[in-house]
Amino acid sequence: MLLDCSEGEFRERLPGRTVIEVARLGKFLLLRLDGPEDLHLTIHLGMTGQVLVSQPEVAHPHTRFTFWLNGPGDEVRRLEFRDMRKFGRVHLTSNGPPSRVRTLGPDAWAGAWDAEYLAERMRGRKAPLKAFLLDQRNLAGIGNIYADETLWWAGLAPIRVASSLSPGEIGRLTHEIRARLDEGVRRLGCTLADFVDTQGNPGGFQKVLQAYGRRGEVCARCGGTLVRVVVAGRGTTYCPGCQR
DNA sequence: CCCAAGTCCTGGTTGC
DNA sequence: TGCAACCAGGACTTGG
């Protein structure tokens, strides 16, 4: 289901609204609208979603939603949501963002969290470290690619039990979570197949991947061979030689 | 047939 | 035994 309320409700409530705030928490894009109901338009790109502006008006087969925006003058801009695989979501809610946003932990990249916070969240957790990183209730914004990359750089095995990390290891993890996301942002995203920014440009993070998608290749740190396993139901690539 | 960047839901297990 | 917390795995979807 693309929308969390009827199309009629969108058509009825959106026209004439002004976007008064644009924010992001984890993988969610939050647009706050004016008016008394505290309306929020919330977008999640899923796996293959794209948000594009100023595109030509030709229909694209994967366009799921089109917003028409009035600029300051007579200019009209088009905000288009495309999603090949339909895992993306568009929510329109009153009284704040949808509940799924309220359960998110602090933003992994921009949030005010530290190693102490991670240690507290890890206490007693028997889930593998990889699952801990992907759980958006702990930190919001880490997906499969950044989880594998973070663990490679931190030298930690994805199958480690979350509660087994030493303070030193948690410190390394804390640093690498921020460092990898930072590099991803600096390189404007990771384009394996679909990702583009709002102007249609691909990112460059895929050029510096050390672990993700490199099964069978040589580990740049220890010369071992990267292996693929399934952890928490997700394909996971790591180096058994130097990720402990 | 296998694999893929996302989250949600269900049902089983564990431990207090 | 009761219950909650926790965790694994499936469902969803289309394409390479």
Side-chain angles (χ1 to χ4, degrees):
Chain A
M1 189 61 75
L2 168 67
L3 309 176
D4 72 338
C5 58
S6 72
E7 186 179 334
E9 197 167 340
F10 274 78
R11 291 189 183 284
E12 182 189 339
R13 302 174 85 173
L14 278 182
R17 298 291 183 156
T18 300
V19 176
I20 55 174
E21 189 183 332
V22 177
R24 177 195 59 79
L25 178 56
K27 305 172 191 175
F28 289 84
L29 177 62
L30 307 167
L31 304 178
R32 195 152 66 91
L33 308 176
D34 68 336
E37 311 106 297
D38 195 16
L39 275 183
H40 274 74
L41 188 65
T42 304
I43 300 174
H44 191 299
L45 300 181
M47 291 164 70
T48 57
Q50 305 176 332
V51 169
L52 298 152
V53 297
S54 304
Q55 292 300 301
E57 296 178 23
V58 241
H60 187 279
H62 299 140
T63 296
R64 311 293 176 195
F65 217 118
T66 302
F67 304 93
W68 297 96
L69 306 175
N70 295 316
D74 292 338
E75 147 196 38
V76 173
R77 268 190 273 185
R78 173 176 149 129
L79 190 67
E80 183 189 354
F81 179 66
R82 291 184 193 168
D83 187 21
M84 182 180 77
R85 281 186 47 200
K86 300 183 180 177
F87 275 21
R89 296 287 180 273
V90 179
H91 308 264
L92 180 63
T93 51
S94 45
N95 304 310
S99 57
R100 60 178 64 188
V101 170
R102 290 178 216 144
T103 64
L104 297 175
D107 188 79
W109 181 58
W113 58 275
D114 56 13
E116 285 289 313
Y117 169 81
L118 272 200
E120 172 61 32
R121 294 292 298 189
M122 286 174 159
R123 195 160 301 154
R125 291 301 197 84
K126 283 179 289 188
L129 191 47
K130 171 78 178 259
F132 178 87
L133 290 178
L134 291 176
D135 188 340
Q136 306 294 300
R137 292 170 300 186
N138 297 321
L139 289 174
I142 302 174
N144 209 29
I145 298 170
Y146 290 96
D148 278 8
E149 290 305 296
T150 294
L151 290 171
W152 186 89
W153 281 91
L156 294 168
I159 50 178
R160 279 283 295 278
V161 171
S163 58
S164 74
L165 267 66
S166 69
E169 289 172 330
I170 295 176
R172 264 153 50 203
L173 186 63
T174 299
H175 175 263
E176 290 303 339
I177 289 170
R178 285 227 165 82
R180 290 316 112 209
L181 288 171
D182 222 58
E183 175 151 31
V185 170
R186 234 172 28 240
R187 290 179 176 270
L188 308 175
C190 187
T191 303
L192 296 169
D194 300 284
F195 174 78
V196 290
D197 67 15
T198 57
Q199 308 303 313
N201 303 309
F205 189 69
Q206 69 281 0
K207 296 173 187 168
V208 294
L209 294 175
Q210 298 292 342
Y212 180 86
R214 301 192 57 194
R215 153 176 43 170
E217 294 183 36
V218 173
C219 172
R221 182 167 47 214
C222 76
T225 302
L226 298 164
V227 300
R228 181 184 182 277
V229 294
V230 175
V231 183
R234 314 299 304 276
T236 300
T237 306
Y238 78 107
C239 177
C242 59
Q243 286 181 254
R244 302 297 181 155

